[in-house]
Amino acid sequence: MKRVAIITARGGSKRIPRKNIKPFLGKPILEYSIAAAFVADIFDEVMVSTDDEEIADMAKAAGAKVPFLRSEKTANDFASTADVVNEVLNTYEEQGVCFDRACCIYPTAPFVTGDAIKKAMRLLEQEHADCVIPVVKFSFPPQRGVVIEDGRIVPKWKECMNMRSQDLEPLYHDCGQFYCLNVESFKQQKAIWMENVVPFIQDEMTVQDIDTPEDWEIAEMKYRILHGEGKNE
């Protein structure tokens, strides 16, 4: 069985310029994802899908392969993760290389560890799943969400407002870190969220969306706390 780690790192980024190679606590954030893929020690190939020569050079310096550059079609703002993964797998096949399993890892996921990837990939096999997706529980019950109408706060689900938190069904959301894929299932369904998806539950401390400069600062603080940086010996 052949496995590939696909790290998706295009050059364009609107809210955080050069986001995928911006230094995160001293080193390009992309390097964290590459390192995690290698630490997992289960992949036949660790590659970076990018349209950017600078990112490609940095990825190669970190040990990853960049056997081809991403097409213009999958480098725009409207291309989905599934589009990128599909292009990568098809391009490899055109070169005579086929993979049975794939792990798509986002480039701005410094909390991802090799151990987590390895466990999630093992879960993919144990559960005979199409896909394994890391998820985290919402810290506040979404059922108690409110909307603003005519300048006033209105409960979205009024019937839930007086219910105890423990009586509300736990809801989870995608961590936005990585996806473990059965390639055959993916090629049939052409989607990340497939029919048979198994959760890989993460702790809130190891999850952080990084979409704004403020998110970036929060992520660095959480990373320092998680790894004990700055504590007195």
Side-chain angles (χ1 to χ4, degrees), residues 31-189:
E31 291 188 13
Y32 290 84
S33 296
I34 294 173
F38 279 116
V39 169
D41 197 28
I42 58 171
F43 297 108
D44 298 277
E45 182 114 312
V46 175
M47 70 87 67
V48 170
S49 170
T50 186
D51 59 319
D52 187 281
E53 292 286 358
E54 183 182 7
I55 293 176
D57 289 342
M58 190 169 290
K60 292 174 185 175
K65 293 184 179 180
V66 187
F68 44 81
L69 290 179
R70 191 183 298 191
S71 69
E72 184 177 340
K73 182 179 179 181
T74 58
N76 62 46
D77 293 335
F78 303 101
S80 67
T81 298
D83 292 333
V84 176
V85 172
N86 191 54
E87 180 180 76
V88 167
L89 294 173
N90 285 340
T91 305
Y92 270 114
E93 287 185 9
E94 290 169 2
Q95 297 178 357
V97 181
C98 296
F99 294 100
D100 304 290
R101 302 289 184 266
C103 183
C104 174
I105 308 171
Y106 284 151
T108 53
F111 297 99
V112 171
T113 66
D115 184 58
I117 291 172
K118 191 171 186 175
K119 287 179 179 177
M121 290 292 284
R122 187 183 303 132
L123 192 61
L124 183 72
E125 303 304 325
Q126 291 173 344
E127 296 293 329
H128 305 288
D130 293 332
C131 180
V132 171
I133 296 180
V135 296
V136 63
K137 183 180 175 182
F138 281 97
S139 58
F140 183 86
Q143 298 94 326
R144 288 185 180 171
V146 298
V147 294
I148 298 176
E149 296 179 359
D150 299 323
R152 299 293 184 270
I153 292 176
V154 179
K156 181 66 176 177
W157 296 282
K158 191 173 182 179
E159 66 276 14
C160 296
M161 297 306 285
N162 293 321
M163 292 178 64
R164 299 184 306 168
S165 297
Q166 58 265 42
D167 293 331
L168 294 170
E169 180 183 12
L171 294 181
Y172 299 80
H173 64 86
D174 178 359
C175 294
Q177 294 182 336
F178 63 90
Y179 307 104
C180 302
L181 308 169
N182 179 311
V183 172
E184 183 179 359
S185 299
F186 174 79
K187 294 186 75 65
Q188 290 174 352
Q189 300 180 47

